[in-house]
Amino acid sequence: MLIVKNLSIQLNKNDLFIVKNLSFIADKGDKIAIIGSEGSGKTTLLKSFFGLKEDYYLQDGLIQSMNSIGYLVQNIAFNQLHQKVQDFFLEELNSLDEYYHYYPVIIKKCRDFGLNYLDIEDRYLETFSGGELIKINFVRILIKEYELLLLDEPSNDLDFASQKVLIDILKALEIPIIFVSHDEFLLKQVANAIIHLELVNKKNEAQTTYLKEDYTKFLTITKAKMSAQLMVALKQQSDYQKKTAKLSSIYQAVEYQQNQVVRDPVKGQLLKKKMKALKSEKNKIEQQSANFLPIPKNEEGIDLFFDQPEKILNNKYILSIENLKLLLPN
C-alpha cells in the first residue's frame, strides 16, 4: 500500500507549486493514471513516489511507500544503451544466480511482446528501435514480483499489437500501478483512478485533483464541472460589467455636476463626498473581481489532419517545418 497525504511539490527556481495538497491511497488492484499537460509535473510526481528527490524542487507531505517498487523510466539512460540486453537485466537482478533463476520468466515475458530472448540477449541496446526498447525495459521490471509499479509513458512507441499486450498485462496485475500517460486508449482501458495536474490562472497556480473513477467517468465529471464553472464565471463577468457601467455613468454625472457648482460650496462639498463614495465602491468591485472564477479552458492537443493519402515518390517531402515556435496565450 502506498499512502500519500498532503503532498506538495514546489519548484526552487520560481517558487511555483506543481503539486498542491495531494492525498490518496494506492492499494491492491488500483491502476492510477497521472495526467496533465506538458510541463505540469507528472514525471516529477512519479519520481517522488519512488523516493527520487531532485535538487530543483522542494517536497512537503507524507509518502509512506512499499519496500519493493518497479520503476519504468520514459527513456533508457544513454550509458545503458551501450550494454547488452543480458547485462541490462542483470542490473535489475543483482547476480547471475538470480538471472538464471528468472531465465524462463524472461523468455516468456519477451515472447509476450513478440521478442525472442535467445536471439537478443547478446545484442546491444543501441541496436534496437524505440518501441523494442520500451518492450525490453518493461520486461525488465516485470521479471520480479514488485509490490508497486511506477510507469512513465509505458505505451510510447509501441505498435497496436504490443499496446494490447501491455494493456492485458496491466489489467491482469493485482498490485497497485501508478502510470503517466497521454494515451487515451491506454487510459480508457486500464485506469480506475486519476490524478490530474493542472496549472491554472495563467499557469501560476497548481490545481491537483485525485478522483477514484475510471478515465471515461473522469472526463464526464470534468466536463460537467467545467460547464458549471463556465456559467458562474460568465455570470460574474456579466454582473461586473453591468456594475462598472452603471458606476461609470453615475461618476460622469457627478463629475459634470461638480463642474457646474463652482459657486455653491455646500453643494460642492456634498458632491465631493459622493465622488469619494463612488471611488470607494469602484475599489470594492475591483477587489471582488480579483476573486472571480477563471473561465475554464480545455487542455487540448494539437491535431494535424490530412486528406486521403496518395502514393508519392520516394524521397519526396510531405511536410517540412522550420523554426517552429509555439507561443502560450497571455
Side-chain angles (χ1 to χ4, degrees):
M1 180 185 295
L2 172 72
I3 299 174
V4 177
K5 187 174 182 181
N6 298 327
L7 176 66
S8 293
I9 297 176
Q10 184 180 20
L11 299 179
N12 286 336
K13 63 180 180 181
N14 54 10
D15 294 329
L16 175 70
F17 281 94
I18 53 175
V19 177
K20 198 74 177 287
N21 298 326
L22 172 63
S23 297
F24 71 96
I25 295 174
D27 209 347
K28 182 179 179 180
D30 287 335
K31 311 289 192 298
I32 304 172
I34 304 175
I35 65 172
S37 60
E38 290 292 340
S40 59
K42 300 183 295 299
T43 296
T44 297
L45 177 60
L46 197 70
K47 286 179 178 179
S48 72
F49 300 150
F50 193 60
L52 295 175
K53 295 185 178 180
E54 308 286 355
D55 58 6
Y56 60 84
Y57 68 81
L58 301 172
Q59 183 178 311
D60 184 38
L62 170 69
I63 298 179
Q64 184 175 327
S65 189
M66 283 91 164
N67 294 321
S68 62
I69 301 174
Y71 182 66
L72 178 76
V73 297
Q74 192 172 139
N75 296 299
I76 294 174
F78 180 76
N79 62 306
Q80 290 178 309
L81 292 176
H82 303 301
Q83 292 179 328
K84 291 181 179 181
V85 175
Q86 182 188 59
D87 296 326
F88 184 60
F89 285 155
L90 273 170
E91 282 187 346
E92 190 78 6
L93 298 172
N94 301 317
S95 70
L96 273 174
D97 287 341
E98 195 172 12
Y99 173 76
Y100 287 116
H101 172 77
Y102 283 105
Y103 199 77
V105 177
I106 295 172
I107 292 174
K108 182 183 181 304
K109 297 294 183 185
C110 283
R111 189 186 303 123
D112 290 341
F113 280 106
L115 299 172
N116 186 336
Y117 187 65
L118 298 179
D119 290 339
I120 67 171
E121 62 180 326
D122 289 324
R123 277 180 61 184
Y124 289 93
L125 291 175
E126 61 191 349
T127 66
F128 292 93
S129 68
E132 289 171 331
L133 287 175
I134 288 288
K135 296 175 188 178
I136 292 168
N137 201 13
F138 200 77
V139 168
R140 187 172 99 142
I141 68 165
L142 288 177
I143 296 171
K144 300 172 72 172
E145 295 180 353
Y146 288 108
E147 296 176 305
L148 169 70
L149 288 184
L150 304 175
L151 315 174
D152 197 353
E153 299 283 2
S155 62
N156 265 9
D157 296 323
L158 292 183
D159 56 50
F160 186 69
S162 299
Q163 190 180 46
K164 288 189 70 176
V165 171
L166 170 67
I167 288 170
D168 290 341
I169 290 172
L170 295 182
K171 290 169 75 172
L173 288 171
E174 295 185 354
I175 61 173
I177 299 169
I178 304 176
F179 64 100
V180 171
S181 183
H182 294 95
D183 185 340
E184 286 213 344
F185 183 68
L186 178 68
L187 291 168
K188 288 178 179 178
Q189 292 292 318
V190 175
N192 57 23
I194 303 293
I195 297 172
H196 188 200
L197 303 184
E198 296 178 276
L199 291 174
V200 298
N201 293 338
K202 297 184 178 180
K203 297 190 178 294
N204 290 317
E205 181 182 342
Q207 185 169 293
T208 308
T209 305
Y210 173 74
L211 193 63
K212 190 74 169 67
E213 299 285 355
D214 62 42
Y215 184 68
T216 301
K217 184 69 173 178
F218 164 80
L219 292 177
T220 302
I221 292 172
T222 301
K223 186 177 180 180
K225 181 181 175 182
M226 288 183 66
S227 296
Q229 182 178 330
L230 179 61
M231 290 180 65
V232 173
L234 291 176
K235 179 71 165 54
Q236 288 175 332
Q237 294 291 339
S238 176
D239 291 345
Y240 171 76
Q241 290 172 2
K242 289 177 182 177
K243 286 180 180 179
T244 53
K246 183 178 179 181
L247 203 62
S248 178
S249 178
I250 297 172
Y251 188 92
Q252 290 175 8
V254 172
E255 191 175 45
Y256 174 79
Q257 291 176 25
Q258 277 185 318
N259 294 332
Q260 303 303 312
V261 296
V262 289
R263 295 184 180 181
D264 189 339
V266 175
K267 193 172 182 180
Q269 191 66 26
L270 290 173
L271 289 171
K272 186 177 181 181
K273 288 182 180 179
K274 191 170 184 179
M275 184 66 80
K276 184 177 180 181
L278 288 171
K279 289 180 179 179
S280 177
E281 181 66 18
K282 181 181 179 182
N283 289 335
K284 182 180 177 182
I285 293 173
E286 292 292 342
Q287 289 174 359
Q288 290 174 344
S289 69
N291 297 318
F292 285 175
L293 286 176
I295 294 177
K297 296 180 180 179
N298 286 315
E299 294 184 70
E300 296 181 348
I302 300 174
D303 294 322
L304 298 177
F305 299 95
F306 298 93
D307 293 332
Q308 185 68 25
E310 298 180 4
K311 187 175 181 179
I312 61 171
L313 297 175
N314 290 336
N315 300 322
K316 183 177 180 181
Y317 283 106
I318 301 174
L319 177 67
S320 178
I321 300 176
E322 295 181 5
N323 300 321
L324 176 65
K325 291 184 179 180
L326 297 177
L327 301 178
L328 294 174
N330 294 325

